[in-house]
Amino acid sequence: MAVPRRSLDGRLFWVLGLVCAMYQIFFVRSAAGQTAQLSVNASPQNTQMIPENMFGIFFEEINHAGAGGLWAELVNNRGFEAGGPNTPSNIDPWLIIGDESNIIVATDRSSCFATNPIALRMEVLCESSGNDVCPPGGVGIYNPGFWGMNIEEAKVYKVSMYIMSSDSMDLTVSLTSSDGLQNLAAYTITADKEDFKEWTKVEFDLQSSERNPNSRLQLTTRTSGIVWFDQVSLMPSETYMRHGYRKDLASMLANLKPKILKFPGGNYVMGNYLSNAFRWSETVGPWEERPGHFNDVWGYWTDDGLGFFEFLQLAEDLGACPVWVVNDGASRNEQVPSATIAAFVKDVVDGIEFARGDPGTSWGSVRAAMGHPEPFQLNYISMGNQECSMHYYKENYRKFYSAIKASYPDIKIISSCDRSTISPVEPADLYDVHVYTSSGDMFSKSSMFDSTPRGGPKAIVSEYAVTGNDAGRGTLVAALAEAAFLIGLERNSDAVEMASCAPLFVNDNDRRWSPDAIVFNSWQHYGCPNYWMLHFFKESSGASLHPSTIQVSNYNQLVASAITWQNSKDGNTYLKIKVLNFGNKAIDLSISITGLENEIQTFGSVKTVLTSGSLRDENSFQQPDKVVPVESPISNAREEMSLVLDPYSLTSFDLLLDLKSSLQMMHSVPESSLHSSM
């Protein structure tokens, strides 16, 4: 991607910075017209600490974000359960190779798994020779995955499936192009009549000889007989942290350095009906035994390979604090009365035991058997998904609160109710806030928490996004408006504990919601402008916030903040000043910094700008870097600076305060570059 610029030759890097500075001085500044003064008080006496878990991410199973996305399973409907409990059922997207004269395929209830009883029965009517000869490539079934399987050259893919047959078998398992003509890898299973008379698990690897981003998995034969299949899986051998997540997408999350991971929704937690709600206990244990469920809110089946355990593991892998949104007995169309809510309460307490219990506990032992004997650090429970107005919510909430606190008093519980309703009768550690609005209104909400009383429960803004016509599929103006909102959260971090954007992912083949932060298909991905905007805030969690004020006449389109943060990799300390210009004027900005304990170093400071030629500019697979942050060195870094802000832009100034690291950097820069930049 286009963000990292530090790989430039040192000489070129600093010369380009000098050219940029001269351009601003002699050309842009004279055309700016509008002036503004930004004052930053960096005195330690006026510092406010931003919460450690301030900025993070929110994952919901929407837009095929997990099934066909972050979860690396390539087979769609691996257990043939998506068609429902009726047999024979729709086995979409599985399709037949051959026709009714040589193959008959149907589902039945012969599976060896009680929790997902449907299996596929394939009856082959043709032979390799004789009167009923099979087609040259054989007959069988194939799975195209989620709009094509991305198969890469020389990469290894693990196949796992269950097979049962009383007949002899000569079955070829292969990876091919979408039309079946290009063979990428193949493996043949041969067996006598007695070898598979009981359900048998078969596992092997396929190594692809070529690359094809639109491939399929097919099972073919030229031997007559009846074969049953169940739980057919194809996984890349290389996944993020070897835990089953698609490597490129999980890396996009890791690059944000999120401090919280809220999961698994959203409306996905509730379901339109409780029968289709997310049930954590049905998503743990061996993947073959997970029943899966229909995501009736967003309209597709999920095998629940990405389950409760995997969400907790992902949070740990990202270094984020998990925030579990629980089903509190409500769907979008149903409610469980308080008199019968006890089973739901126990289910949540059991879920916490799964995450945190010792291996000797009932549910802790299940987690340990999955390969994680150490407890997960689950410290936040969010009660439901903004259903405070529902009839039974408050009464049910009190029962959940009491039961959780009785067993786990340290867990912080998040209420779906507004701050004004929280009291000793309706206690809460935090309250949830969702903000979906237009770009103009989102910009104005940078002051949303300015007047919030301090003391009492703090907010978690767990879902926020610009929506409407100007949001498009992820526009520059939407990203800038959200940046203004986040700067407001920084300034009010004594009233706001955490924040996360929504939605996180969208498979480009199944857009149920726009905009989203990350767009992908089977083999490509890119970040929308709001994804890149989040990079401006990844150092804010746990940083020191400094008071800042802007003075400008007849122009109310500027928002700013200032923090001090330390780079964990090299130990350098920086003063980061972020300034958002949400107007159509270039701004001649003067910055004045007081109260610093360490001087700003001449070299090592960097300016980063997010802007583009049009407010409606978006990234795409064809132009993934159209709207991305661009870094350049600051040649005149000091306590008093004058520079120009582009119209409709987000700019950050990372000013190096660490002398030792600065001297090391100076020694690594060519001497001629040092002279030319001074």
Side-chain angles (χ1 to χ4, degrees), residues 66-79:
L70 181 62
W71 188 242
E73 173 64 66
L74 294 174
V75 175
N76 188 350
N77 189 18
R78 71 183 179 210

Side-chain angles (χ1 to χ4, degrees), residues 430-448:
L430 298 163
Y431 65 98
D432 197 10
V433 177
H434 296 183
V435 180
Y436 293 99
T437 188
S438 65
S439 60
D441 191 53
M442 184 67 82
F443 174 79
S444 69
K445 289 187 183 299
S446 62
S447 59
M448 178 177 173

Side-chain angles (χ1 to χ4, degrees), residues 103-118:
I103 184 172
I104 299 173
V105 171
T107 57
D108 62 22
R109 293 175 174 272
S110 61
S111 174
C112 58
F113 300 108
T115 51
N116 41 24
I118 306 300

Side-chain angles (χ1 to χ4, degrees), residues 470-486:
D470 54 357
R473 292 192 168 194
T475 58
L476 170 67
V477 68
L480 296 179
E482 291 177 10
F485 180 64
L486 295 190

Side-chain angles (χ1 to χ4, degrees), residues 48-51 54-56 433 435 442 445-450 452 454 458-464 481-501 534 537 540 545 559-561 563 578:
Q48 173 185 311
M49 298 304 296
I50 297 175
M54 185 67 188
F55 292 113
V433 177
V435 180
M442 184 67 82
K445 289 187 183 299
S446 62
S447 59
M448 178 177 173
F449 291 93
D450 286 1
T452 299
R454 272 43 179 173
K458 295 174 69 174
I460 167 175
V461 185
S462 68
E463 298 183 35
Y464 68 86
E482 291 177 10
F485 180 64
L486 295 190
I487 288 174
L489 297 189
E490 275 185 332
R491 291 188 293 99
N492 289 284
S493 56
D494 54 343
V496 180
E497 183 85 7
M498 297 180 284
S500 54
C501 69
L534 292 174
F537 294 86
S540 297
L545 178 71
V559 180
S561 69
I563 64 170
K578 291 190 292 289

Side-chain angles (χ1 to χ4, degrees), residues 162-355:
Y162 286 76
I163 300 175
M164 181 176 70
S165 179
S166 297
D167 298 308
S168 58
M169 188 185 308
D170 191 351
L171 180 74
T172 298
V173 181
S174 56
L175 296 175
T176 73
S177 57
S178 60
D179 57 10
L181 300 179
Q182 179 191 25
N183 196 306
L184 307 175
Y187 181 90
T188 300
I189 301 171
T190 58
D192 295 329
K193 285 189 174 183
E194 299 298 312
D195 291 349
F196 286 96
K197 66 178 181 179
E198 302 291 339
W199 279 107
T200 304
K201 186 176 184 179
V202 178
E203 293 182 292
F204 52 89
D205 290 337
L206 290 174
Q207 185 172 21
S208 178
S209 60
E210 299 180 66
R211 176 184 179 273
N212 192 315
N214 189 21
S215 303
R216 72 190 197 188
L217 174 72
Q218 60 181 40
L219 316 176
T220 55
T221 185
R222 299 185 69 197
T223 302
S224 64
I226 300 174
V227 186
W228 281 265
F229 299 104
D230 201 6
Q231 299 301 324
V232 182
S233 170
L234 178 70
M235 288 283 283
S237 61
E238 295 182 16
T239 60
Y240 186 74
M241 304 287 282
R242 303 187 65 83
H243 288 145
Y245 317 107
R246 184 169 145 176
K247 204 168 184 178
D248 57 343
L249 299 185
S251 296
M252 290 279 281
L253 301 184
N255 289 340
L256 292 175
K257 299 180 181 178
K259 293 301 182 181
I260 64 167
L261 171 63
K262 184 188 176 195
F263 65 86
N267 288 334
Y268 179 67
V269 171
M270 305 174 70
N272 281 330
Y273 296 93
L274 284 171
S275 59
N276 293 319
F278 180 85
R279 302 298 179 98
W280 75 266
S281 59
E282 296 180 352
T283 73
V284 300
W287 59 265
E288 303 99 325
E289 298 176 15
R290 303 181 190 183
H293 75 286
F294 182 61
N295 178 1
D296 63 358
V297 174
W298 303 116
Y300 56 89
W301 178 264
T302 170
D303 288 312
D304 285 328
L306 183 59
F308 188 47
F309 176 89
E310 287 74 24
F311 282 120
L312 292 166
Q313 182 67 71
L314 178 62
E316 183 176 270
D317 290 345
L318 295 174
C321 184
V323 179
W324 178 28
V325 185
V326 303
N327 186 288
D328 54 8
S331 70
R332 297 179 73 197
N333 295 294
E334 302 164 305
Q335 281 185 275
V336 175
S338 300
T340 55
I341 198 64
F344 284 81
V345 174
K346 183 179 184 303
D347 185 66
V348 171
V349 175
D350 286 346
I352 300 172
E353 181 180 276
F354 174 88

Side-chain angles (χ1 to χ4, degrees), residues 7-24:
S7 60
L8 292 172
D9 173 78
R11 181 192 303 267
L12 177 61
F13 187 74
W14 295 107
V15 169
L16 284 175
L18 181 61
V19 172
C20 291
M22 293 177 65
Y23 174 81
Q24 288 184 342

